[in-house]
Each structure stands twice: as C-alpha cells, then as structure tokens.
Amino acid sequence: MTIPILDVRQLVHRYGSFQALAGVDLTVHAGEMFGLLGPNGAGKTTFLSIVSGLLTPTGGEILLFGQRFDSRNRDQRRLIGLGTQDLAIYADLTARENLQFFGKLYGLRGATLAKRVDALLDAVTLRDRADDRAGDFSGGMKRRLNLAVAVVHEPKLLFLDEPTTGVDPQSRNAIFEQVQALNRDGLTIVYTSHYMEEVETLCPRIAILDHGTLIACDTLERLLQRLPATIRLRVRPDPTPLLGRLATLQPGVVARMEADRVMVECPSVGPTLVRIIGLLNELGLEPTTIETQEPNLERVFLHLTGHALRDD
Ligand SMILES: Nc1ncnc2c1ncn2[C@@H]1O[C@H](COP(=O)(O)OP(=O)(O)OP(=O)(O)O)[C@@H](O)[C@H]1O
C-alpha cells in the first residue's frame, strides 16, 4: 500500500466559538484528481488554508508524503500549490511579470524562470496577452493566470479553491482542460467546488463536506449507487396490471403509485425502461407521460443532508 500524498486526521478548526471543521479525516493518493464538494460555508476554504499552511488548525494532524506537515518547513511548502478563491495575482503587473514575480519567490531565476514562464503562458493560452496588464483581463483570463501562478514552482500537490468563480461557461471549459492536463502530467489535485457538475465531471473520487463535517467520501460511481434511478409514468387506461408485473420484474426494482403516476425505483434507467415498454405492449397499455432521472450528486447530497447543495 503506497503512502498517501496527503493524510488528514481529525482536523478541527474553530473561529472563536464557531466550529468550522469538526474532525475531518481524509486521504489523497498520488495522481488523484480529488473533489471536495460542499455548499458555501461548508468549510472548504478553511480546510485548504490549513493544509496549504496558511492557517494553523485548532486540532488534528496532517501528514504530507508521510511526514508530519509543519507550515514553517519551506521544503514541505514547496511541494504544495494553492489556487486561491480570491485571485492572488497583481492587477498592475502583466501576465508575464506576475509569473516572474511568483517564480522568484520560489527561487527560480534566469533562463530556468524564463522557460517556465513561457511554458505556463502557453499552457493557459495567455501567450498573446503575456505583456498586457492582468487588471485589464476578463474574469476567465484572470482565473487562468491565477492557476498558472499556483503551479509556477512545479508543486507535487495542487489545491484549487473554487477555480471557476466568476467565469463564463467557455472559460470554465478552458480551465477544466488546463486542470485535466496538469493532472495527466502527474500533478495530484484537490479540487473544491460547490458546483456538483464540476466535481462530477472532473473527479473520480469525491468527499462531501457539510457544516464542517465530512458526510461521505467515495468514488463518484459508489456515491451515485447510494440512490436509485427513478422512472415516473402515467399509463391508460389502468396502471394496476403494470404495477403487479413490476413487483416481480427484476431484483432492485421497486414500484408504487404516487398520486396518478407509477413510480419505479431501479438501479439504472436504461434496462428497466426497455422492460417497462415491453410490458406496456404486452398488457395493451398506453403511456401518456414518462419522466426519468438518473442519480446525481445533487440528489445524493440532498439525501445525505436533508437540504439542497445550493440555495440559488
Ligand atoms: N475568519 C473567520 N472568522 C469567523 N468565521 C469564519 C472565518 N472564516 C470563515 N468563517 C466561517 O467558517 C465557515 C466555513 O467557511 P469557509 O470559507 O471555510 O467555507 P467554504 O466552504 O469555503 O465556503 P465558501 O465557498 O463560501 O468560501 C463559514 O460559516 C464562515 O462564515
């Protein structure tokens, strides 16, 4: 068994009397693109601030590459990159100057620095705007520069805090591609978001945080398996024979009446729907409406917490 890159045990943080993290256990392995999903205020930024050494926790232990993490240890901090939710770039510097500035903070100099800066400008597709002021950039360009700054020193583990905040869908896709490319090149990434679509798209393994507590941590596939898919249909003239046949259709399929609709819970929509259509033909019934829903993280979150992931 390989040592996790990040091993967090019973992490607690209080702001005064308010408990923002209530004993979080979490491990991240080399090469993972790990998703940390939670609504606004769940504690994601607090978590990332602690594991990147910006905030001292109230309690708990953090192991980085198997070693106890000490935020004063520069060698350990070099292993980490943080893409902050609030942009860390300087508006008055150009894209190139921003990258040079942050590169120098990590001791890069001369040709090595110049080469690294050029490579990053290419990677985040800002080469043609390299010498323009970052303050004049669009939201998406600023986010891309913020991402490049976070990896200028070639960290082994990158924390990204809501990296698509304030960007349009096109820029969001560009950021996804750049994050995926970094991960393909071997960078381990912890990606936080309150958008379930983002972590669902990017992250094979996901932790769900709510009110400072980790309520689930599993592969996307297994998280989705916690809930059934549903098929709701109205049939005429009479759904009763269909309900009778559905009771013995296949293991894992449960059917009941929900007002005037037949409500079917099943492992996944496709195969069950095919069989239902066959039954309707056989029984001489006509469907008037059919609605299907595969499980998604939004519904898993609602199921686990009793409240919605987003309040908008
Ligand atoms: N410096 C602080 N002092 C007091 N409370 C704080 C402080 N920073 C954060 N909090 C509170 O701690 C909780 C967790 O905040 P945190 O920023 O970690 O959540 P989050 O999941 O990152 O949410 P968001 O995406 O909105 O930033 C929130 O209720 C927040 O109001």
Side-chain angles (χ1 to χ4, degrees):
M1 180 83 179
T2 54
I3 296 172
I5 278 198
L6 179 69
D7 191 357
V8 173
R9 297 176 188 169
Q10 282 301 300
L11 197 63
V12 173
H13 193 69
R14 287 189 205 96
Y15 296 106
S17 60
F18 178 77
Q19 180 151 277
L21 294 176
V24 171
D25 290 310
L26 196 147
T27 55
V28 177
H29 294 276
E32 275 199 288
M33 173 92 90
F34 184 90
L36 183 59
L37 176 71
N40 289 328
K44 304 181 298 294
T45 301
T46 302
F47 179 84
L48 290 195
S49 302
I50 293 170
V51 292
S52 53
L54 299 177
L55 184 66
T56 306
T58 310
E61 189 179 29
I62 300 162
L63 300 177
L64 192 65
F65 293 90
Q67 306 288 318
R68 211 188 158 109
F69 177 48
D70 176 354
S71 60
R72 292 161 302 181
N73 182 326
R74 287 174 69 94
D75 290 339
Q76 281 190 323
R77 285 185 68 154
R78 271 193 81 94
L79 299 171
I80 297 168
L82 173 65
T84 48
Q85 187 175 3
D86 297 327
L87 293 167
I89 53 177
Y90 289 100
D92 286 334
L93 299 184
T94 66
R96 189 188 303 280
E97 287 165 347
N98 265 289
L99 288 165
Q100 287 168 337
F101 173 78
F102 286 100
K104 281 180 188 162
L105 284 185
Y106 282 99
L108 299 178
R109 296 283 183 274
T112 312
L113 176 61
K115 217 171 129 196
R116 181 72 185 143
V117 168
D118 281 342
L120 284 170
L121 287 167
D122 283 338
V124 297
T125 55
L126 284 175
R127 176 75 91 121
D128 56 345
R129 301 293 303 272
D131 299 310
D132 293 341
R133 247 180 107 254
D136 296 331
F137 286 178
S138 69
M141 291 162 75
K142 285 179 185 159
R143 280 280 150 205
R144 272 148 45 208
L145 182 57
N146 202 52
L147 175 63
V149 157
V151 295
V152 70
H153 58 298
E154 298 189 82
K156 299 276 181 265
L157 172 61
L158 175 64
F159 297 117
L160 290 176
D161 196 359
E162 307 259 4
T164 61
T165 302
V167 307
D168 58 47
Q170 201 184 343
S171 300
R172 196 180 78 146
N173 289 342
I175 291 169
F176 280 9
E177 279 169 26
Q178 286 148 14
V179 169
Q180 283 170 321
L182 287 168
N183 182 243
R184 268 197 307 274
D185 287 346
L187 182 61
T188 306
I189 298 176
V190 176
Y191 187 104
T192 84
S193 180
H194 65 283
Y195 293 116
M196 63 111 195
E197 305 87 349
E198 295 199 355
V199 288
E200 231 175 38
T201 305
L202 293 172
C203 306
R205 207 160 68 88
I206 295 163
I208 300 178
L209 192 66
D210 189 39
H211 295 301
T213 302
L214 215 61
I215 53 171
C217 181
D218 216 328
T219 61
L220 174 62
E221 202 185 344
R222 280 202 291 264
L223 285 172
L224 296 180
Q225 279 168 2
R226 293 181 180 213
L227 281 187
T230 59
I231 302 170
R232 289 181 172 85
L233 68 162
R234 287 190 183 87
V235 298
R236 64 181 177 213
D238 175 15
T240 315
L242 175 66
L243 210 58
R245 292 290 294 277
L246 284 170
T248 56
L249 187 66
Q250 64 188 90
V253 174
V254 180
R256 62 176 182 275
M257 288 307 291
E258 207 181 65
D260 63 341
R261 292 189 300 183
V262 179
M263 156 70 160
V264 185
E265 292 184 346
C266 52
S268 73
V269 168
T272 308
L273 190 56
V274 169
R275 305 202 51 184
I276 289 176
I277 306 265
L279 280 179
L280 292 173
N281 278 332
E282 194 188 318
L283 297 167
L285 297 172
E286 183 193 342
T288 55
T289 62
I290 300 183
E291 278 169 37
T292 63
Q293 200 174 32
E294 292 284 6
N296 61 36
L297 276 182
E298 188 94 45
R299 287 178 55 214
V300 172
F301 185 84
L302 183 65
H303 171 73
L304 291 171
T305 65
H307 60 92
L309 183 56
R310 276 178 278 173
D311 21 59
D312 48 297

